[in-house]
Amino acid sequence: MNYNLLSDMGLGNMDLTYLFIGAFAAILVLLIIVIVLCINLGRISKKYKKFMGGKNAKSMEKSIMGLYEDNKLIKASMDKNKKDIEGLYKKFEGAFQKIGIIRYDAFNQMGGKLSFSLALLDENDNGFILNSVHSSEGCYSYTKEIKNGLSEISLGEEEKKALDMAMDL
C-alpha cells in the first residue's frame, strides 16, 4: 500500500522538514497556552477554596445570612440616626445661633462702657435685643422682640449695630 496523502493534497513536492517545523511550532504555541491556562486555573482554584472556606454549603449559607442580618441592622441604625439628626436640626433651628453685642457709654459720664445692646437671633433671624443702660443712678434693662430681622419698636443706634452684627453671621 502506498499512501500519498501529501500528493493528494497538492503538497507532493514539499519538503517534509518544513512540515515538521510548522507542526512543532504549533505544538509549542499550544503548550504555552496550556501552561498559562493551568496557572490561571490554579489562581482561580485558590480563590474558590478561600471563598468556600467553610466545611459545607450550610456554613456558607450561614455566613451569608449573618451578613444579611448585619446589613439590616446597619440600615435600621442608619435610618434611626437620620431621624435623630433631622430632629436635632429642627431643635437647633430655634436655638440662638447669631449673636451681636455692642458696648457703649450711655451718658458719656460714667466711662468704661458699662451699657450694652445684645442681639440674640435664631437661624430665621427671630429673637430679641437685650439693652442694658448703666447710669450713676442704676442699671435699667429692657428687650425688644425681633421677627425676621425686624423690630416693631424703633431701635436705637447701638441696638441697630448689634442687630446688624448678629445678622451678618
Side-chain angles (χ1 to χ4, degrees):
M1 254 197 192
N2 190 4
Y3 295 105
N4 292 324
L5 180 63
L6 291 177
S7 297
D8 292 341
M9 290 176 35
L11 302 174
N13 296 333
M14 186 175 156
D15 189 5
L16 290 178
T17 306
Y18 295 122
L19 183 65
F20 285 125
I21 290 174
F24 181 73
I27 289 171
L28 192 60
V29 168
L30 290 174
L31 183 63
I32 291 171
I33 291 173
V34 167
I35 291 171
V36 169
L37 289 175
C38 286
I39 291 170
N40 286 340
L41 181 62
R43 288 181 190 158
I44 291 172
S45 178
K46 286 179 186 177
K47 289 179 183 178
Y48 177 76
K49 287 179 182 176
K50 188 175 182 180
F51 180 72
M52 300 296 282
K55 294 180 180 179
N56 55 28
K58 287 186 179 184
S59 64
M60 182 158 175
E61 181 181 353
K62 186 177 179 182
S63 297
I64 290 173
M65 290 304 293
L67 291 173
Y68 177 74
E69 292 299 322
D70 290 346
N71 191 24
K72 280 178 31 180
L73 290 173
I74 290 171
K75 187 174 181 179
S77 176
M78 185 182 74
D79 290 341
K80 182 187 178 304
N81 289 343
K82 190 175 183 180
K83 286 179 184 176
D84 290 346
I85 290 170
E86 287 172 358
L88 289 173
Y89 181 75
K90 286 188 182 207
K91 287 180 182 179
F92 187 64
E93 198 175 68
F96 294 126
Q97 302 175 26
K98 302 175 184 180
I99 299 171
I101 186 166
I102 300 293
R103 293 180 53 176
Y104 62 97
D105 188 7
F107 299 107
N108 296 324
Q109 58 182 329
M110 297 292 294
K113 295 186 176 182
L114 299 175
S115 300
F116 66 88
S117 289
L118 173 67
L120 296 172
L121 303 175
D122 65 9
E123 184 177 317
N124 300 316
D125 294 331
N126 297 321
F128 63 90
I129 295 178
L130 173 65
N131 198 3
S132 179
V133 180
H134 192 276
S135 70
S136 59
E137 299 162 1
C139 182
Y140 304 97
S141 298
Y142 57 92
T143 62
K144 293 181 181 176
E145 184 178 17
I146 305 296
K147 289 185 180 178
N148 297 319
L150 302 172
S151 173
E152 292 180 6
I153 303 171
S154 64
L155 299 176
E157 180 182 335
E158 292 82 10
E159 293 169 326
K160 286 179 186 176
K161 286 181 183 178
L163 180 61
D164 290 341
M165 183 186 291
M167 290 180 63
D168 285 342
L169 295 178

